[in-house]
Amino acid sequence: MAAWPTYAEQQLNAFQMVRDLGLAVDLKMDYRRDGELVMARKIEQSVKCLMEPDIEARKRVKEMSENSRKAVMEGGSWHSSLGRLIEALLLSPVGK
């Protein structure tokens, strides 16, 4: 993923994806500079970087994808948590 925030909370999302999680490459991180164009050379560099097979972000995305898939499978952390939430909602006095 190439992060190119253009408005509001996208700046925070891009920062998290690029810096915190390492799941994206930044194309342009500061959207607040009015009138600043992103040149074709910068877009080309970011896209070429994403296409390289041994880029760290690609490895992190694959790892995150595998972990996410395991979490939603039966017995996975998300699956179990959702089941407990549903049980709690069904047993709560508000739900009755």
Side-chain angles (χ1 to χ4, degrees), residues 86-96:
I86 291 170
E87 284 179 29
L89 291 173
L90 291 174
L91 296 175
S92 76
V94 175
K96 292 182 178 182

mmCIF file of all heavy atoms in Angstrom, residues 86-96:
data_model
loop_
_atom_site.group_PDB
_atom_site.id
_atom_site.type_symbol
_atom_site.label_atom_id
_atom_site.label_comp_id
_atom_site.label_asym_id
_atom_site.label_seq_id
_atom_site.Cartn_x
_atom_site.Cartn_y
_atom_site.Cartn_z
ATOM 1 N N ILE A 86 -21.367 -11.997 22.011
ATOM 2 C CA ILE A 86 -22.746 -12.375 21.683
ATOM 3 C C ILE A 86 -23.425 -12.997 22.900
ATOM 4 O O ILE A 86 -24.564 -12.654 23.230
ATOM 5 C CB ILE A 86 -22.782 -13.313 20.462
ATOM 6 C CG1 ILE A 86 -22.371 -12.543 19.210
ATOM 7 C CG2 ILE A 86 -24.165 -13.935 20.298
ATOM 8 C CD1 ILE A 86 -22.128 -13.408 17.996
ATOM 9 N N GLU A 87 -22.715 -13.878 23.597
ATOM 10 C CA GLU A 87 -23.279 -14.482 24.807
ATOM 11 C C GLU A 87 -23.593 -13.426 25.844
ATOM 12 O O GLU A 87 -24.658 -13.440 26.470
ATOM 13 C CB GLU A 87 -22.306 -15.508 25.396
ATOM 14 C CG GLU A 87 -22.253 -16.812 24.649
ATOM 15 C CD GLU A 87 -21.258 -17.771 25.273
ATOM 16 O OE1 GLU A 87 -21.028 -17.702 26.512
ATOM 17 O OE2 GLU A 87 -20.710 -18.592 24.529
ATOM 18 N N ALA A 88 -22.680 -12.492 26.050
ATOM 19 C CA ALA A 88 -22.885 -11.432 27.045
ATOM 20 C C ALA A 88 -24.082 -10.566 26.676
ATOM 21 O O ALA A 88 -24.877 -10.189 27.551
ATOM 22 C CB ALA A 88 -21.623 -10.583 27.176
ATOM 23 N N LEU A 89 -24.225 -10.256 25.406
ATOM 24 C CA LEU A 89 -25.354 -9.432 24.978
ATOM 25 C C LEU A 89 -26.676 -10.172 25.141
ATOM 26 O O LEU A 89 -27.695 -9.576 25.512
ATOM 27 C CB LEU A 89 -25.176 -8.989 23.535
ATOM 28 C CG LEU A 89 -24.056 -7.977 23.278
ATOM 29 C CD1 LEU A 89 -23.870 -7.753 21.780
ATOM 30 C CD2 LEU A 89 -24.312 -6.678 23.993
ATOM 31 N N LEU A 90 -26.690 -11.441 24.843
ATOM 32 C CA LEU A 90 -27.914 -12.220 24.977
ATOM 33 C C LEU A 90 -28.321 -12.403 26.434
ATOM 34 O O LEU A 90 -29.506 -12.505 26.743
ATOM 35 C CB LEU A 90 -27.756 -13.582 24.300
ATOM 36 C CG LEU A 90 -27.662 -13.562 22.778
ATOM 37 C CD1 LEU A 90 -27.358 -14.955 22.252
ATOM 38 C CD2 LEU A 90 -28.935 -13.001 22.168
ATOM 39 N N LEU A 91 -27.351 -12.442 27.334
ATOM 40 C CA LEU A 91 -27.635 -12.649 28.751
ATOM 41 C C LEU A 91 -27.849 -11.355 29.509
ATOM 42 O O LEU A 91 -28.310 -11.378 30.646
ATOM 43 C CB LEU A 91 -26.493 -13.441 29.396
ATOM 44 C CG LEU A 91 -26.300 -14.866 28.876
ATOM 45 C CD1 LEU A 91 -25.066 -15.503 29.510
ATOM 46 C CD2 LEU A 91 -27.529 -15.701 29.141
ATOM 47 N N SER A 92 -27.526 -10.216 28.922
ATOM 48 C CA SER A 92 -27.653 -8.939 29.636
ATOM 49 C C SER A 92 -29.115 -8.542 29.762
ATOM 50 O O SER A 92 -29.932 -8.828 28.885
ATOM 51 C CB SER A 92 -26.870 -7.840 28.915
ATOM 52 O OG SER A 92 -27.559 -7.419 27.769
ATOM 53 N N PRO A 93 -29.452 -7.836 30.851
ATOM 54 C CA PRO A 93 -30.849 -7.397 31.030
ATOM 55 C C PRO A 93 -31.286 -6.390 29.977
ATOM 56 O O PRO A 93 -32.459 -6.297 29.669
ATOM 57 C CB PRO A 93 -30.859 -6.748 32.419
ATOM 58 C CG PRO A 93 -29.485 -6.785 32.933
ATOM 59 C CD PRO A 93 -28.624 -7.515 31.962
ATOM 60 N N VAL A 94 -30.355 -5.662 29.393
ATOM 61 C CA VAL A 94 -30.702 -4.683 28.362
ATOM 62 C C VAL A 94 -31.169 -5.399 27.114
ATOM 63 O O VAL A 94 -32.064 -4.936 26.417
ATOM 64 C CB VAL A 94 -29.470 -3.778 28.049
ATOM 65 C CG1 VAL A 94 -29.780 -2.832 26.906
ATOM 66 C CG2 VAL A 94 -29.037 -3.034 29.283
ATOM 67 N N GLY A 95 -30.592 -6.556 26.806
ATOM 68 C CA GLY A 95 -30.937 -7.285 25.600
ATOM 69 C C GLY A 95 -32.273 -8.020 25.701
ATOM 70 O O GLY A 95 -32.788 -8.545 24.736
ATOM 71 N N LYS A 96 -32.843 -8.069 26.914
ATOM 72 C CA LYS A 96 -34.098 -8.822 27.114
ATOM 73 C C LYS A 96 -35.288 -7.909 27.096
ATOM 74 O O LYS A 96 -35.299 -6.788 27.383
ATOM 75 C CB LYS A 96 -34.047 -9.593 28.410
ATOM 76 C CG LYS A 96 -33.023 -10.706 28.328
ATOM 77 C CD LYS A 96 -33.007 -11.497 29.603
ATOM 78 C CE LYS A 96 -31.999 -12.642 29.471
ATOM 79 N NZ LYS A 96 -31.936 -13.469 30.613
#
